Amino acid sequence: MLYTLAGGGTLCGLAALVLLIVSTATDFWMQYRYSGSSANQGLWRFCINHKCHAHTITVAFWDATRAFMLLAVLSCFAGVVLGLSAFTNGTKNRRVRTGGIALVLSGFLALLALAIYTGVTVTFFGKRFLDWRFSWSYIIGWVAIFLAFAAGVFQLCAYQRTTAEPAPSNNPDS
């Protein structure tokens, strides 16, 4: 049962890691119309009429969202590595538990990042641009949050199962 839960958690964590990297690195968090042209923006730059520019204004919400997303990626990576390392030398209960905690932390950090971005986007950009919508990178971020939480829960359940099961006895009489 440990290998099933820990393996499922590791696979979910790996999928969450890939999705977190893709959503953090791409420029399609929000799409809107700007001066009659289509525009999109990501965490690192914005693009208008297929010409991309770096964000020149350092606003606290950009920095917080970037920082939380990068910390979520690092935490998810640590959780996946700990989950994989639990299989190399037999089951290491502490590694499975620590990997589960890292994956839940990753989901929580990404949740904070997307909550900050959502709040600012709806209150500020929602009033500034009439024709706007969240784009696919933003949605992938929410899917990654779900997968990271699920991976962490699987890892923690695997740890609970192994600590609750009694050790097999080596009694030759039975």
Side-chain angles (χ1 to χ4, degrees):
M1 187 62 136
L2 167 73
Y3 291 116
T4 304
L5 287 172
T10 303
L11 287 175
C12 282
L14 190 61
L17 178 63
V18 169
L19 293 179
L20 280 170
I21 290 171
V22 168
S23 71
T24 303
T26 56
D27 296 324
F28 295 98
W29 279 50
M30 186 178 82
Q31 294 177 333
Y32 55 92
R33 291 259 177 224
Y34 184 76
S35 299
S37 299
S38 65
N40 55 345
Q41 91 181 18
L43 293 179
W44 309 101
R45 61 188 185 163
F46 64 96
C47 302
I48 299 174
N49 207 13
H50 303 294
K51 293 180 184 175
C52 296
H53 312 281
H55 288 292
T56 55
I57 301 172
T58 303
V59 181
F61 93 92
W62 285 115
D63 294 337
T65 304
R66 289 179 195 138
F68 283 134
M69 286 300 285
L70 290 174
L71 287 172
V73 168
L74 291 174
S75 179
C76 191
F77 178 74
V80 168
V81 167
L82 286 167
L84 288 173
S85 69
F87 292 105
T88 57
N89 298 342
T91 59
K92 304 284 190 216
N93 291 339
R94 283 185 240 156
R95 287 185 184 173
V96 172
R97 181 188 65 195
T98 308
I101 292 170
L103 288 166
V104 169
L105 178 65
S106 171
F108 181 71
L109 290 169
L111 180 66
L112 283 175
L114 268 73
I116 291 169
Y117 186 83
T118 302
V120 171
T121 300
V122 169
T123 57
F124 178 71
F125 290 113
K127 295 174 184 173
R128 188 172 175 197
F129 302 109
L130 297 176
D131 186 21
W132 68 274
R133 64 185 170 119
F134 291 116
S135 190
W136 61 270
S137 293
Y138 174 82
I139 295 167
I140 284 176
W142 283 105
V143 172
I145 289 171
F146 175 75
L147 286 173
F149 276 127
V153 168
F154 283 156
Q155 294 277 7
L156 292 173
C157 286
Y159 172 74
Q160 286 296 101
R161 287 281 190 163
T162 57
T163 57
E165 292 175 356
S169 64
N170 293 332
N171 190 355
D173 296 334
S174 53

